[in-house]
Amino acid sequence: MLKLLFLSTPVGSLGSGQGGGVELTIQNVAQELQKRGHLLEVVAPQNSVLKGIKVKTIEGNHQIAVQTQTRDVPICLPTNSVLANMWEYARQVQNNYDLIVNFAFDWLPFYLTPFFARPIAHFISMGSMTEASDRIMNKVAQKYPNTIGVYTKSQAASFPFADLCHILGSGLDLSLYQFCPQPQNYLAWLGRIAPEKALEDAVAASKITGIPLKIFGKIQEGDYWQQIQQDFPEAPIEYMGFFQTEKLQKYLGQSRALLMTPRWLEAFGNVAIEALACGVPVIAYRRGGPTEIIRDNQTGFLVEPDSIPGLVEAIEKIDQIERKNCRQQAEGEYSLKALGERFEAWFYKILSI
């Protein structure tokens, strides 16, 4: 049995959607490891909620999301930083735990690593984003072997320490996702509404095909969302809001396909396996994590990055995909049991050094 302290993303409360896919990863990894008998506490910003998991909430100002910044951005902490406050708490209680697990994509936790008495495992949830982060992560990877975990090989390849990364993938509580064999006539798009996700490409494809698009997720940048509405006033789109899993999977499962249109290198794409778990094929740009998830022509289609015609062509042949194959792939590759085994083995390897 391990005693584990998880340090969450500092960009928003868990359950708010501000943290993107890493929120779901924290929930699922914590849930499965607790089920396996490990003792676990999660430290997260105020108002955070996890189902069935003990959460120590910390006050303070949220960190600016790194994907909204340039590669040469200087290291910066806001006044009364929730990130700094979370790690001060971790410092105080570290002796109660065997291992600290960092889920924050930020410079500070990596910098602090040598100053902690307890080992720290770092799960990196994005590809290379800033020069400063790459440098400090590389130092930690070199000095503390086996302590860097990532979702995919594509993500790891974006870093100078790719060969030192543990590939951990992702997983879902599949009991929460119901298979839908007969979809309704609409497409789905799911994620943070921000420029790097390129929602406008999915909207353009929806307009061209005439198939309605239901949009799910947190509006992270309001001006960006307003611009899309102005640019595509006649597109058949509907913003549904940010839903928790139970409500989300009902709507997602009834869609004909999920569109994934990121401009950046998507580290994994939890939304892809959520769709597959419902039996929904995924149409995604051939970029980053989705290339390692989607079985082209079997559980979806991979298209040329940033190609709206490619999206349209894939949408027009989406009915060629057997929806049962999507669910079967999720069951075979993305169960919580498999995810828990990978993380558990990684933690034991770190502690055996």
Side-chain angles (χ1 to χ4, degrees), residues 185-190 199 201-207 210-216 235-240 257-259:
N185 186 37
Y186 64 83
L187 305 166
W189 188 96
L190 170 60
L199 169 58
D201 288 9
V203 173
S206 169
K207 181 179 179 182
I211 301 174
L213 177 70
K214 292 186 185 294
I215 300 164
F216 304 89
I237 63 174
E238 180 180 6
Y239 175 61
M240 304 295 291
L258 173 72
L259 304 185

Side-chain angles (χ1 to χ4, degrees), residues 177-223:
Y177 298 85
Q178 305 305 311
F179 174 64
C180 179
Q182 296 295 330
Q184 296 184 23
N185 186 37
Y186 64 83
L187 305 166
W189 188 96
L190 170 60
R192 290 178 297 100
I193 298 177
E196 68 272 8
K197 296 290 189 175
L199 169 58
E200 66 270 22
D201 288 9
V203 173
S206 169
K207 181 179 179 182
I208 292 169
T209 60
I211 301 174
L213 177 70
K214 292 186 185 294
I215 300 164
F216 304 89
K218 188 80 172 182
I219 297 177
Q220 193 169 67
E221 296 195 27
D223 290 345

Side-chain angles (χ1 to χ4, degrees), residues 1-2 38 99 343-353:
M1 179 191 72
L2 297 176
H38 302 294
L99 181 67
F343 268 82
E344 193 175 59
W346 179 42
F347 293 161
Y348 279 122
K349 186 168 187 175
I350 292 170
L351 292 171
S352 69
I353 297 172

Side-chain angles (χ1 to χ4, degrees), residues 88-164:
E88 172 58 19
Y89 173 79
R91 185 192 65 80
Q92 294 173 11
V93 302
Q94 62 178 310
N95 290 333
N96 298 333
Y97 299 93
D98 299 311
L99 181 67
I100 298 168
V101 186
N102 169 45
F103 288 88
F105 190 103
D106 199 278
W107 181 88
L108 182 63
F110 291 91
Y111 172 79
L112 291 175
T113 298
F115 300 101
F116 273 69
R118 285 290 182 266
I120 300 175
H122 297 277
F123 183 77
I124 302 174
S125 58
M126 291 183 282
S128 174
M129 298 298 295
T130 74
E131 300 295 343
S133 292
D134 280 7
R135 283 195 296 270
I136 194 67
M137 289 190 292
N138 190 39
K139 285 183 179 180
V140 170
Q142 301 293 337
K143 188 173 182 179
Y144 301 97
N146 301 313
T147 62
I148 305 294
V150 297
Y151 284 117
T152 60
K153 293 179 181 178
S154 300
Q155 176 195 2
S158 71
F159 297 115
F161 48 90
D163 293 344
L164 299 175

Side-chain angles (χ1 to χ4, degrees), residues 19-29 103 105 122-127 148-157 159 165-171 264-271 273 288-290 292-293 334 339 342-343 346:
V22 72
E23 291 189 29
L24 185 61
T25 296
I26 293 170
Q27 170 71 58
N28 288 335
V29 174
F103 288 88
F105 190 103
H122 297 277
F123 183 77
I124 302 174
S125 58
M126 291 183 282
I148 305 294
V150 297
Y151 284 117
T152 60
K153 293 179 181 178
S154 300
Q155 176 195 2
F159 297 115
C165 293
H166 280 253
I167 310 301
L168 296 163
S170 192
W264 68 342
L265 188 150
E266 195 77 52
F268 185 79
N270 278 320
V271 298
I273 60 174
E292 297 177 40
I293 301 171
Y334 300 113
L339 179 67
R342 292 192 295 270
F343 268 82
W346 179 42

Side-chain angles (χ1 to χ4, degrees), residues 215-327:
I215 300 164
F216 304 89
K218 188 80 172 182
I219 297 177
Q220 193 169 67
E221 296 195 27
D223 290 345
Y224 170 69
W225 170 237
Q226 291 296 325
Q227 188 64 52
I228 289 175
Q229 292 177 292
Q230 291 173 22
D231 292 344
F232 299 93
E234 298 179 0
I237 63 174
E238 180 180 6
Y239 175 61
M240 304 295 291
F242 174 75
F243 294 162
Q244 298 297 332
T245 298
E246 182 178 0
K247 189 174 181 181
L248 170 66
Q249 65 91 26
K250 292 179 181 178
Y251 287 101
L252 179 60
Q254 293 173 2
S255 67
R256 291 178 63 187
L258 173 72
L259 304 185
M260 294 184 68
T261 53
R263 288 272 186 268
W264 68 342
L265 188 150
E266 195 77 52
F268 185 79
N270 278 320
V271 298
I273 60 174
E274 289 189 281
L276 294 177
C278 297
V280 177
V282 182
I283 298 171
Y285 288 152
R286 193 184 297 274
R287 173 188 283 144
T291 65
E292 297 177 40
I293 301 171
I294 300 160
R295 297 176 184 170
D296 198 22
N297 295 298
Q298 296 180 45
T299 58
F301 297 105
L302 294 169
V303 305
E304 185 69 23
D306 310 319
S307 171
I308 294 171
L311 294 175
V312 171
E313 181 181 354
I315 291 169
E316 290 174 345
K317 58 182 182 179
I318 198 62
D319 292 338
Q320 296 176 13
I321 302 295
E322 292 284 348
R323 292 172 71 91
K324 65 180 181 181
N325 292 342
C326 300
R327 175 69 187 195

